[in-house]
Amino acid sequence: MFRRVRQTNVAISVLRSASLALLLSTALRAQPTFEVASVRPSVPKPPAAGGAGARSGGGGGGGGGGCPQRLRIDRSQVEIECANLVMLIGYAFRVAPDRVTGPDWMMGPGSPRFDIAATIPQSTSENQAPEMLQSLLADRFKLALHHGITSQPVYALVVARGGLKVKAAAAAPTAAAEPDAPPGVTAFFGETLEHTAPNASGAGETTTISNPRMGTVRETDGPNMFQRMEAPAITFEGLAELLDRMMPSSTSVIDMTGLKGRYQLVLEVSLNDLQAEMDREQALLQRFNDGLRKFGLELVRRKGPIETVVVDHVEKMPTEN
Protein backbone atom coordinates (compact mmCIF):
# COMPACT_ATOMS: atom_id res chain seq x y z
CA MET A 1 0.00 0.00 0.00
CA PHE A 2 2.78 2.44 0.90
CA ARG A 3 4.51 1.75 -2.40
CA ARG A 4 1.29 2.31 -4.36
CA VAL A 5 0.57 5.61 -2.61
CA ARG A 6 4.15 6.73 -3.13
CA GLN A 7 3.99 5.85 -6.84
CA THR A 8 0.71 7.74 -7.12
CA ASN A 9 2.24 10.80 -5.44
CA VAL A 10 5.23 10.64 -7.79
CA ALA A 11 2.88 10.42 -10.79
CA ILE A 12 0.88 13.41 -9.52
CA SER A 13 4.12 15.35 -9.00
CA VAL A 14 5.29 14.57 -12.54
CA LEU A 15 1.91 15.60 -14.00
CA ARG A 16 1.92 18.79 -11.94
CA SER A 17 5.43 19.72 -13.15
CA ALA A 18 4.42 18.96 -16.74
CA SER A 19 1.29 21.09 -16.37
CA LEU A 20 3.27 23.97 -14.89
CA ALA A 21 5.80 23.75 -17.71
CA LEU A 22 2.95 23.77 -20.27
CA LEU A 23 1.33 26.79 -18.61
CA LEU A 24 4.67 28.62 -18.56
CA SER A 25 5.30 27.74 -22.21
CA THR A 26 1.83 28.99 -23.19
CA ALA A 27 2.30 32.22 -21.24
CA LEU A 28 5.73 32.84 -22.73
CA ARG A 29 4.37 32.58 -26.26
CA ALA A 30 2.38 35.75 -25.50
CA GLN A 31 5.44 37.53 -24.10
CA PRO A 32 7.35 40.17 -26.08
CA THR A 33 10.56 38.87 -27.63
CA PHE A 34 13.88 40.36 -28.67
CA GLU A 35 14.22 41.12 -32.35
CA VAL A 36 17.62 39.42 -32.50
CA ALA A 37 19.59 37.81 -29.66
CA SER A 38 22.85 35.92 -29.23
CA VAL A 39 23.79 33.88 -26.16
CA ARG A 40 27.38 32.72 -25.71
CA PRO A 41 29.47 31.28 -22.86
CA SER A 42 31.49 34.02 -21.15
CA VAL A 43 35.21 34.18 -21.80
CA PRO A 44 37.22 34.57 -18.54
CA LYS A 45 38.97 37.94 -18.32
CA PRO A 46 40.27 40.18 -15.53
CA PRO A 47 38.18 43.14 -14.29
CA ALA A 48 38.84 46.50 -15.92
CA ALA A 49 41.42 48.64 -14.17
CA GLY A 50 39.88 50.82 -11.51
CA GLY A 51 36.63 48.86 -11.46
CA ALA A 52 34.76 48.10 -8.29
CA GLY A 53 33.37 44.73 -7.33
CA ALA A 54 29.60 44.32 -7.39
CA ARG A 55 27.65 43.20 -4.38
CA SER A 56 26.65 39.61 -3.91
CA GLY A 57 23.01 38.72 -4.21
CA GLY A 58 22.67 35.05 -3.39
CA GLY A 59 23.94 32.90 -6.23
CA GLY A 60 24.48 36.00 -8.30
CA GLY A 61 27.68 37.51 -7.05
CA GLY A 62 29.36 40.05 -9.27
CA GLY A 63 32.61 39.20 -10.99
CA GLY A 64 32.56 35.51 -10.08
CA GLY A 65 33.48 32.81 -12.58
CA GLY A 66 36.59 34.65 -13.79
CA CYS A 67 34.95 37.66 -15.48
CA PRO A 68 33.35 40.95 -14.40
CA GLN A 69 29.55 41.11 -14.47
CA ARG A 70 27.89 43.90 -16.44
CA LEU A 71 24.41 44.89 -17.56
CA ARG A 72 23.61 47.70 -19.96
CA ILE A 73 20.18 48.59 -21.31
CA ASP A 74 19.17 51.42 -23.62
CA ARG A 75 16.24 52.06 -25.91
CA SER A 76 17.52 49.72 -28.63
CA GLN A 77 19.56 46.96 -27.03
CA VAL A 78 20.44 44.86 -24.00
CA GLU A 79 24.00 43.79 -23.24
CA ILE A 80 24.68 41.32 -20.42
CA GLU A 81 28.13 39.99 -19.57
CA CYS A 82 29.22 37.18 -17.24
CA ALA A 83 25.76 36.34 -15.84
CA ASN A 84 24.91 32.89 -14.50
CA LEU A 85 21.44 31.40 -14.84
CA VAL A 86 20.41 32.27 -11.28
CA MET A 87 21.07 35.94 -12.02
CA LEU A 88 19.35 35.78 -15.42
CA ILE A 89 16.26 34.05 -14.03
CA GLY A 90 16.06 36.48 -11.12
CA TYR A 91 16.21 39.47 -13.48
CA ALA A 92 13.78 37.93 -15.97
CA PHE A 93 11.13 37.11 -13.34
CA ARG A 94 11.77 40.21 -11.21
CA VAL A 95 12.87 38.44 -8.02
CA ALA A 96 16.12 38.54 -6.06
CA PRO A 97 18.52 35.75 -7.10
CA ASP A 98 18.66 34.37 -3.54
CA ARG A 99 15.00 33.41 -3.99
CA VAL A 100 15.73 31.28 -7.06
CA THR A 101 16.39 27.57 -6.50
CA GLY A 102 17.37 24.90 -9.00
CA PRO A 103 19.83 22.08 -9.72
CA ASP A 104 23.13 22.08 -7.81
CA TRP A 105 25.23 22.79 -10.91
CA MET A 106 23.27 26.04 -11.42
CA MET A 107 23.55 27.32 -7.84
CA GLY A 108 27.28 27.25 -7.05
CA PRO A 109 29.88 30.00 -7.58
CA GLY A 110 31.41 27.98 -10.43
CA SER A 111 28.18 27.76 -12.40
CA PRO A 112 28.31 28.52 -16.15
CA ARG A 113 28.16 32.18 -17.12
CA PHE A 114 26.94 33.76 -20.31
CA ASP A 115 27.09 36.90 -22.45
CA ILE A 116 23.88 38.08 -24.09
CA ALA A 117 23.50 40.71 -26.81
CA ALA A 118 19.93 41.41 -27.87
CA THR A 119 18.06 44.00 -29.92
CA ILE A 120 14.82 45.49 -28.57
CA PRO A 121 12.06 45.87 -31.21
CA GLN A 122 11.09 49.48 -31.99
CA SER A 123 7.49 48.77 -30.95
CA THR A 124 8.55 47.51 -27.50
CA SER A 125 9.71 49.42 -24.42
CA GLU A 126 13.05 48.68 -22.76
CA ASN A 127 11.04 48.32 -19.52
CA GLN A 128 9.86 44.99 -20.94
CA ALA A 129 13.42 43.63 -21.12
CA PRO A 130 12.78 41.14 -18.25
CA GLU A 131 9.78 39.66 -20.07
CA MET A 132 11.79 39.42 -23.30
CA LEU A 133 14.53 37.65 -21.36
CA GLN A 134 11.93 35.16 -20.07
CA SER A 135 11.13 34.23 -23.67
CA LEU A 136 14.82 33.95 -24.50
CA LEU A 137 15.55 31.63 -21.57
CA ALA A 138 12.61 29.39 -22.47
CA ASP A 139 13.75 29.24 -26.11
CA ARG A 140 17.52 28.81 -25.69
CA PHE A 141 17.76 27.03 -22.32
CA LYS A 142 14.38 25.19 -22.35
CA LEU A 143 13.59 26.79 -18.98
CA ALA A 144 10.57 25.49 -17.05
CA LEU A 145 9.77 26.73 -13.54
CA HIS A 146 7.04 27.47 -11.06
CA HIS A 147 6.45 30.09 -8.35
CA GLY A 148 6.02 29.22 -4.71
CA ILE A 149 5.37 30.90 -1.37
CA THR A 150 7.01 29.70 1.83
CA SER A 151 6.47 30.89 5.41
CA GLN A 152 9.82 31.69 7.01
CA PRO A 153 11.24 33.69 9.92
CA VAL A 154 11.71 37.25 8.65
CA TYR A 155 12.55 40.74 9.80
CA ALA A 156 9.28 42.67 9.38
CA LEU A 157 9.49 46.40 8.67
CA VAL A 158 6.73 47.98 10.82
CA VAL A 159 5.74 51.39 12.17
CA ALA A 160 7.30 51.91 15.60
CA ARG A 161 5.44 53.07 18.69
CA GLY A 162 4.91 56.81 18.40
CA GLY A 163 4.09 56.75 14.68
CA LEU A 164 5.87 57.80 11.50
CA LYS A 165 8.44 60.60 11.49
CA VAL A 166 9.29 60.58 7.81
CA LYS A 167 8.58 63.14 5.06
CA ALA A 168 6.42 62.26 2.07
CA ALA A 169 8.00 62.54 -1.39
CA ALA A 170 6.69 62.87 -4.91
CA ALA A 171 6.64 59.77 -7.12
CA ALA A 172 9.91 59.25 -8.98
CA PRO A 173 10.52 57.16 -12.09
CA THR A 174 13.24 54.53 -12.03
CA ALA A 175 16.31 55.24 -14.13
CA ALA A 176 18.64 52.49 -15.25
CA ALA A 177 22.37 53.02 -15.01
CA GLU A 178 23.37 55.77 -17.42
CA PRO A 179 25.18 54.60 -20.58
CA ASP A 180 28.04 57.02 -19.82
CA ALA A 181 28.17 56.34 -16.06
CA PRO A 182 31.65 56.56 -14.47
CA PRO A 183 33.83 53.43 -14.62
CA GLY A 184 32.68 50.72 -12.26
CA VAL A 185 30.55 47.61 -12.24
CA THR A 186 26.85 47.44 -12.98
CA ALA A 187 25.10 44.52 -11.29
CA PHE A 188 21.51 43.37 -11.42
CA PHE A 189 19.48 41.54 -8.82
CA GLY A 190 15.93 40.72 -9.81
CA GLU A 191 14.83 43.93 -11.54
CA THR A 192 17.20 46.01 -9.40
CA LEU A 193 20.19 47.70 -11.00
CA GLU A 194 23.31 48.59 -9.03
CA HIS A 195 26.21 50.64 -10.31
CA THR A 196 29.28 50.83 -8.07
CA ALA A 197 32.12 53.24 -8.77
CA PRO A 198 35.07 54.69 -6.82
CA ASN A 199 34.49 58.06 -5.18
CA ALA A 200 36.13 61.04 -6.88
CA SER A 201 38.24 61.57 -3.74
CA GLY A 202 39.80 58.13 -4.19
CA ALA A 203 38.53 56.98 -0.78
CA GLY A 204 35.68 54.48 -0.67
CA GLU A 205 32.98 53.93 -3.27
CA THR A 206 29.37 54.86 -3.99
CA THR A 207 26.63 52.54 -5.24
CA THR A 208 23.57 53.79 -7.09
CA ILE A 209 20.65 51.37 -6.64
CA SER A 210 17.48 51.64 -8.76
CA ASN A 211 14.18 49.84 -9.16
CA PRO A 212 10.52 50.93 -9.38
CA ARG A 213 9.91 50.59 -5.62
CA MET A 214 13.15 52.17 -4.39
CA GLY A 215 13.37 54.91 -6.98
CA THR A 216 17.08 55.75 -7.07
CA VAL A 217 19.13 55.31 -3.89
CA ARG A 218 22.74 56.37 -3.29
CA GLU A 219 24.65 54.17 -0.83
CA THR A 220 28.04 55.39 0.34
CA ASP A 221 30.53 53.32 2.31
CA GLY A 222 32.59 55.19 4.88
CA PRO A 223 35.35 54.28 7.34
CA ASN A 224 34.70 51.87 10.20
CA MET A 225 31.95 49.95 8.34
CA PHE A 226 29.74 53.05 8.10
CA GLN A 227 26.89 53.04 5.56
CA ARG A 228 24.83 56.03 4.43
CA MET A 229 21.76 55.47 2.24
CA GLU A 230 20.08 58.49 0.63
CA ALA A 231 16.58 57.71 -0.68
CA PRO A 232 14.70 60.76 -2.01
CA ALA A 233 11.56 58.86 -3.12
CA ILE A 234 11.29 55.32 -1.76
CA THR A 235 8.29 53.15 -0.90
CA PHE A 236 8.32 51.10 2.29
CA GLU A 237 8.29 47.99 0.13
CA GLY A 238 11.40 49.36 -1.57
CA LEU A 239 12.97 50.19 1.80
CA ALA A 240 12.45 46.58 2.91
CA GLU A 241 14.19 45.43 -0.28
CA LEU A 242 17.04 47.86 0.33
CA LEU A 243 17.48 46.65 3.92
CA ASP A 244 17.32 43.04 2.73
CA ARG A 245 20.18 43.80 0.34
CA MET A 246 22.29 45.75 2.81
CA MET A 247 21.94 43.65 5.99
CA PRO A 248 24.64 40.94 6.27
CA SER A 249 22.08 38.35 7.37
CA SER A 250 20.39 35.30 5.86
CA THR A 251 17.03 36.44 7.30
CA SER A 252 14.84 38.18 4.71
CA VAL A 253 13.34 41.63 5.28
CA ILE A 254 9.74 42.24 4.16
CA ASP A 255 7.42 45.23 4.42
CA MET A 256 4.57 44.82 6.92
CA THR A 257 3.74 48.51 7.41
CA GLY A 258 0.70 48.26 5.12
CA LEU A 259 1.42 51.84 3.96
CA LYS A 260 1.68 53.08 0.38
CA GLY A 261 3.22 56.23 -1.04
CA ARG A 262 6.82 57.42 -1.32
CA TYR A 263 9.03 58.93 1.34
CA GLN A 264 12.38 60.68 1.63
CA LEU A 265 14.95 59.57 4.16
CA VAL A 266 18.67 59.30 4.81
CA LEU A 267 19.51 56.15 6.77
CA GLU A 268 22.89 55.87 8.50
CA VAL A 269 24.15 52.61 10.01
CA SER A 270 27.50 51.62 11.51
CA LEU A 271 28.51 47.96 11.59
CA ASN A 272 31.89 48.60 13.20
CA ASP A 273 33.01 45.87 15.66
CA LEU A 274 29.89 43.82 14.92
CA GLN A 275 31.88 40.57 14.97
CA ALA A 276 32.88 41.23 18.57
CA GLU A 277 29.27 41.13 19.78
CA MET A 278 28.21 38.03 21.74
CA ASP A 279 24.81 37.93 19.98
CA ARG A 280 25.71 39.11 16.48
CA GLU A 281 22.18 38.80 15.08
CA GLN A 282 20.63 40.85 17.89
CA ALA A 283 23.39 43.44 17.61
CA LEU A 284 22.84 43.68 13.84
CA LEU A 285 19.11 44.23 14.36
CA GLN A 286 19.81 46.89 16.98
CA ARG A 287 22.25 48.80 14.72
CA PHE A 288 19.70 49.05 11.91
CA ASN A 289 16.86 49.90 14.31
CA ASP A 290 18.94 52.74 15.78
CA GLY A 291 18.79 54.34 12.33
CA LEU A 292 15.21 53.37 11.45
CA ARG A 293 13.56 54.58 14.68
CA LYS A 294 14.49 58.16 13.80
CA PHE A 295 11.84 57.80 11.10
CA GLY A 296 9.29 55.99 13.26
CA LEU A 297 10.14 52.59 11.79
CA GLU A 298 11.70 49.41 13.14
CA LEU A 299 12.46 45.80 12.30
CA VAL A 300 10.89 43.03 14.38
CA ARG A 301 11.18 39.25 14.20
CA ARG A 302 8.08 37.56 12.74
CA LYS A 303 7.06 34.84 10.33
CA GLY A 304 6.12 35.98 6.85
CA PRO A 305 5.51 34.84 3.27
CA ILE A 306 8.54 34.66 0.95
CA GLU A 307 8.07 34.36 -2.80
CA THR A 308 10.38 31.83 -4.48
CA VAL A 309 11.04 30.69 -8.02
CA VAL A 310 11.74 26.96 -8.40
CA VAL A 311 13.44 25.74 -11.58
CA ASP A 312 11.93 22.45 -12.78
CA HIS A 313 14.15 22.12 -15.86
CA VAL A 314 16.92 24.09 -17.56
CA GLU A 315 19.71 23.11 -19.96
CA LYS A 316 23.33 23.74 -19.03
CA MET A 317 24.16 25.21 -22.43
CA PRO A 318 21.96 27.22 -24.81
CA THR A 319 20.88 26.07 -28.24
CA GLU A 320 22.78 27.58 -31.14
CA ASN A 321 22.13 31.19 -32.07
Side-chain angles (χ1 to χ4, degrees):
M1 178 62 72
F2 175 79
R3 181 177 298 172
R4 182 174 299 167
V5 171
R6 184 171 183 274
Q7 288 173 342
T8 300
N9 288 340
V10 169
I12 291 172
S13 178
V14 170
L15 287 173
R16 183 180 292 123
S17 295
S19 298
L20 287 166
L22 178 60
L23 287 172
L24 177 64
S25 176
T26 302
L28 289 178
R29 280 199 290 270
Q31 294 275 39
T33 60
F34 292 119
E35 189 171 280
V36 180
S38 71
V39 184
R40 304 183 186 280
S42 298
V43 177
K45 54 187 176 183
R55 297 180 184 277
S56 176
C67 56
Q69 170 198 302
R70 181 173 179 268
L71 168 68
R72 177 170 175 166
I73 300 176
D74 61 29
R75 181 61 194 85
S76 62
Q77 62 184 2
V78 173
E79 296 178 9
I80 299 172
E81 296 179 5
C82 197
N84 63 19
L85 283 166
V86 173
M87 297 154 62
L88 293 172
I89 292 168
Y91 178 72
F93 290 89
R94 302 178 186 271
V95 299
D98 58 6
R99 296 181 186 176
V100 177
T101 61
D104 290 343
W105 62 263
M106 190 185 85
M107 304 303 297
S111 60
R113 292 179 177 253
F114 303 94
D115 297 340
I116 296 176
T119 302
I120 299 173
Q122 290 186 353
S123 60
T124 307
S125 166
E126 63 269 29
N127 293 330
Q128 293 178 284
E131 285 70 32
M132 288 184 269
L133 184 56
Q134 289 180 25
S135 299
L136 185 66
L137 292 172
D139 179 41
R140 303 292 175 86
F141 290 91
K142 310 306 176 188
L143 174 66
L145 55 76
H146 67 274
H147 293 268
I149 298 290
T150 62
S151 180
Q152 301 177 13
V154 299
Y155 290 140
L157 178 67
V158 299
V159 177
R161 184 177 298 177
L164 284 178
K165 305 171 185 176
V166 62
K167 294 182 180 179
T174 296
E178 302 84 352
D180 56 351
V185 174
T186 298
F188 57 105
F189 305 102
E191 60 180 327
T192 302
L193 303 184
E194 292 189 4
H195 181 82
T196 301
N199 293 329
S201 64
E205 59 188 28
T206 296
T207 300
T208 301
I209 310 166
S210 303
N211 78 15
R213 293 163 300 283
M214 294 183 198
T216 299
V217 178
R218 287 174 58 86
E219 191 272 323
T220 305
D221 293 333
N224 299 320
M225 299 291 290
F226 176 82
Q227 293 179 320
R228 177 184 172 91
M229 290 159 273
E230 302 173 49
I234 193 169
T235 66
F236 287 149
E237 184 183 3
L239 178 58
E241 291 181 40
L242 180 65
L243 294 169
D244 190 56
R245 183 163 282 101
M246 293 302 176
M247 290 183 71
S249 170
S250 59
T251 303
S252 296
V253 180
I254 63 174
D255 172 35
M256 287 191 178
T257 63
L259 299 175
K260 304 301 180 183
R262 290 183 178 271
Y263 304 87
Q264 50 182 309
L265 56 84
V266 177
L267 178 63
E268 297 180 338
V269 178
S270 175
L271 301 181
N272 192 36
D273 297 327
L274 184 65
Q275 298 293 345
E277 299 284 352
M278 293 293 291
D279 187 340
R280 181 181 179 276
E281 199 72 12
Q282 180 59 36
L284 177 65
L285 190 61
Q286 184 62 49
R287 304 282 182 93
F288 275 85
N289 276 337
D290 286 345
L292 288 168
R293 287 181 180 133
K294 297 175 183 178
F295 306 103
L297 298 165
E298 65 180 351
L299 296 174
V300 297
R301 290 186 173 96
R302 289 186 183 173
K303 272 204 166 185
I306 300 295
E307 179 186 0
T308 60
V309 168
V310 182
V311 174
D312 299 307
H313 175 81
V314 67
E315 301 290 336
K316 286 187 177 182
M317 297 299 293
T319 57
E320 293 186 6
N321 296 309

